[in-house]
Each structure stands twice: as C-alpha cells, then as structure tokens.
Amino acid sequence: MTITAGAVLSAGALTAPAQAATLAVPTITAKGGFVMNNGTGKALFSKAADTRRSTGSTTKIMTARVVLAQPHLNLDAKVTIQKAYSDYIVSKGASSARLIVGDKVTVRQLLYGLMLPSGCDAAYALADKFGTGSTRAARVKSFIGKMNSTAKSLGLKNTHFDSFDGIGNGANYSTPRDLTKLASSAMKYSTFRAVVKTKSTKQKVTTKSGGYRYMSWTNTNTLLKSYSGTIGVKTGSGSVAKYCLVFAATRNGKTVIGTVLASSSATSRATDATKMMNYAFKK
C-alpha cells in the first residue's frame, strides 16, 4: 500500500496536540511537598513548601551533615557503645540500630546505623562523640547547637532542632524546601552519598571482649528498590510528623531532590515522592 505525503502530514498533525499538552501537576496526599533540580536549584513542584512541620527522623540528615563537616574527621575512629544509648531507645520506644553496649563501632558504621535502620541509638552515639563538654548532657546540647548553627549557615530560616534524632520536645521543625536544601548540601559529601544509596549492609564490629560480631542493617527507604535511579535519602515518621520522606534520584544525567512531609502512610509517602519525581523529570 502506498502512503501519500498528505496522509503522513495528517498523522503528524493529529499527534502534535498530544505532545504539546500541558503536563498535569500531581496531586499528593502529603500536607507539604517540594522538589527541585539539584543541579540548578530550580523549584519544580511546591505544596506548602515553607510551612513549618515536625520532621521525624529526617532530622538525622542534619545529624550526619554535622558529623561529616567536622574538621579532621576520622571515619574509622571507634566509639564505645554506652548503656545510656540503649536505655534511651527503650525509654522512647525509638527506632534502633540494635547497637550492643560495650561494642566498639566506627564513626562510618554509626552513619550506616543512623541512616539505614534510622537508629536513634546511633544518633545518640554520634551526638555524644562530636559534641563538646565534660558531661554527656553537655555534649548532646553542644551537638544540637551545631545542628542549629549549620541550619543558619545554610540559610534554612524555617528550621530548628531540639534533638539529635527527631524525637523532639515540640521545637523540632523544618519545611519541605529547607529539608530539600539540607539534603542537597549533605549529598555533597561522598560518604553521605555512599551511605544513603545503600539498600542493606553487613558490618563487622568489635565486641567488648575483643572478638567481633556482624550487624545487618536494611534501609527504610523503599524507593531504592521501587524507583529506578533513586540515590537516597531518608525516611521519617512520628505521631505528630506523620510520614515523611526526603528523596533523590538521577535519570539521564538530571538529579532531582525533594521532600514530602505529613503524608498519611508509609505507602503514601512513597507514592507521593514517585509522582513528584515523575513530574520533575518531565519538566
């Protein structure tokens, strides 16, 4: 059958309007959301992006960021796990890396324990290690001070921390825009990038008696398995925070990074993030 030039032109004319159709802005269940192009900083999607909300364990992005910015940081330095850390997670009913009292764990391993299973015990250990002061309480207070001074230096005007792990006392808050900027800053550290893209890890730690054991941690960020190109970043949840997720993905050389705060479930936060990234990659 011979196809005429006119038929080809007609077919082209029919498909043109579909290609030119306006990209539909996604609807998300989360109360707040923001996505930007990580290379340019350009906002690609926004919903209540500057409304302050509780952040849950997405706070731990700042915990890691403060640690990684320490001068002369030795990631292989060992930290002895204290009873106070395990007592804390028991008293708070907090998420845990299941660290064992007396074990010697490296700073690098604590970062994996912090970011993958969202260990509040790992967060406490890092705050105790990198804060300054003669008592544990003083060191923790000092570390939280560093979190807030870092937020200020990054221009995060709607962010404040009153804890090292997100289990705050009502003054732990940020916004989708601020958390996205924070994550973008943290992703400049190669160690942070390596940790947050890891689906699971098995780490050899030294026991109190001088032997060793293996710790196995799995990342709570399901997007690493479900969304092609995902490179991080961190989940969060809580009775006030609801379900939160800071996320990042790279496709065809373009990296988008964003945040959802106060989504209705773990499934919804992943769905919200997926919709937002699909939209951002098309813009």
Side-chain angles (χ1 to χ4, degrees), residues 60-230:
K60 290 169 180 146
I61 297 169
M62 180 61 92
T63 309
R65 170 70 174 69
V66 168
V67 169
L68 290 167
Q70 296 303 301
H72 315 298
L73 177 66
N74 178 8
L75 288 165
D76 298 315
K78 290 188 174 177
V79 176
T80 302
I81 303 306
Q82 305 295 319
K83 187 172 181 290
Y85 312 156
S86 57
D87 287 349
Y88 172 80
I89 58 165
V90 170
S91 70
K92 299 287 186 182
S95 52
S96 165
R98 303 182 306 281
L99 300 174
I100 294 166
V101 177
D103 279 6
K104 290 180 174 60
V105 184
T106 67
V107 171
R108 190 193 311 274
Q109 289 169 334
L110 285 172
L111 289 168
Y112 277 97
L114 175 78
M115 300 303 285
L116 272 65
S118 200
C120 295
D121 44 358
Y124 197 165
L126 289 166
D128 192 8
K129 164 78 174 170
F130 291 101
T132 54
S134 57
T135 65
R136 186 171 291 119
R139 289 190 292 274
V140 167
K141 185 178 180 181
S142 153
F143 187 87
I144 295 167
K146 289 182 183 182
M147 293 170 73
N148 285 313
S149 59
T150 301
K152 193 173 182 180
S153 73
L154 293 173
L156 310 182
K157 292 178 181 163
N158 290 305
T159 298
H160 184 266
F161 300 105
D162 69 352
S163 73
F164 47 73
D165 57 3
I167 303 176
N169 299 301
N172 214 79
Y173 58 80
S174 188
T175 68
R177 191 189 307 270
D178 276 8
L179 274 176
T180 301
K181 285 182 180 177
L182 168 59
S184 180
S185 170
M187 290 291 267
K188 292 185 169 113
Y189 293 87
S190 59
T191 300
F192 186 88
R193 292 196 304 275
V195 169
V196 297
K197 75 176 182 184
T198 301
K199 292 174 188 172
S200 62
T201 186
K202 195 174 184 181
Q203 299 280 336
K204 185 178 180 180
V205 305
T206 307
T207 63
K208 191 175 184 177
S209 61
Y212 63 87
R213 78 172 95 245
Y214 285 98
M215 304 298 288
S216 294
W217 295 312
T218 301
N219 204 316
T220 55
N221 182 6
T222 59
L223 290 177
L224 289 164
K225 292 180 180 176
S226 67
Y227 194 84
S228 174
T230 296

Side-chain angles (χ1 to χ4, degrees), residues 244-272:
C244 311
L245 180 59
V246 181
F247 52 86
T250 302
R251 288 184 176 181
N252 300 318
K254 178 181 178 180
T255 298
V256 300
I257 189 162
T259 301
V260 290
L261 290 183
S263 196
S264 55
S265 68
T267 303
S268 292
R269 72 183 171 194
T271 302
D272 286 343

